[in-house]
Amino acid sequence: MQKVMGVDYGDVRTGIALSDTGRFLASGLGTIKEGGMRATAKKVAALAKEHDVGIIVIGLPKNMDGSEGASADKIRAFADLLRPMTEAEIEFLDERVSTMAAHRILNITDTRGEKRKAVVDTLSAEIILQNYLDKNSV
């Protein structure tokens, strides 16, 4: 079975996580700092190919009432750039609380400063992916 990749897209940093082949557990892969939507999409596509990814799950920011705003439009534009670059299926997952959960975890582990900046996006991608895996487990 192919792996699933979680993506927490950001203008400055994009967090990446991968599932195991059994699609049970999400693990952080790292952060992309390519700069620019097109360059980030190319890097995500290359990582998907390198790691035999069948599904790319991108966190979709929604407002607390469930509506989509400008941030969601940006994520959909990113997905539109990514689609022709990869054979992987692209899906979205509501990420309303993933960044808050990541910050909560980092507070508990007392992760501060530059180290926090370096891991928050990867951790957010892990949370997005783990939520997807849990929701879609057989």
Side-chain angles (χ1 to χ4, degrees):
M1 190 179 321
Q2 290 180 299
K3 295 177 183 176
V4 181
M5 176 185 282
V7 177
D8 181 35
Y9 177 79
D11 292 330
V12 177
R13 291 177 307 275
T14 298
I16 304 292
L18 282 175
S19 75
D20 58 336
T21 54
R23 296 183 176 180
F24 178 73
L25 185 64
S27 298
L29 184 61
T31 304
I32 297 172
K33 300 175 200 162
E34 296 301 309
M37 193 178 285
R38 185 171 301 281
T40 300
K42 285 181 183 178
K43 184 67 175 176
V44 168
L47 287 169
K49 184 174 184 174
E50 176 185 341
H51 292 280
D52 192 29
V53 169
I55 300 170
I56 299 172
V57 180
I58 304 172
L60 185 67
K62 292 187 176 186
N63 299 319
M64 290 315 265
D65 66 1
S67 64
E68 294 184 11
S71 295
D73 293 342
K74 186 181 291 190
I75 297 305
R76 291 190 184 280
F78 171 73
D80 289 343
L81 279 174
L82 180 59
R83 249 182 216 100
M85 298 179 188
T86 183
E87 294 179 14
E89 179 183 339
I90 295 177
E91 296 188 25
F92 298 101
L93 186 79
D94 182 353
E95 66 147 27
R96 273 181 269 196
V97 295
S98 65
T99 302
M100 286 189 308
H103 282 288
R104 213 172 293 129
I105 291 167
L106 294 173
N107 286 342
I108 291 168
T109 60
D110 199 30
T111 305
R112 305 271 179 234
E114 288 302 313
K115 186 174 183 182
R116 185 180 186 106
K117 285 182 187 176
V119 298
V120 69
D121 299 300
T122 303
L123 183 54
S124 293
E126 278 183 71
I127 292 167
I128 290 165
L129 180 55
Q130 191 63 57
N131 287 342
Y132 174 86
L133 296 173
D134 292 347
K135 182 179 172 188
N136 293 287
S137 66
V138 178

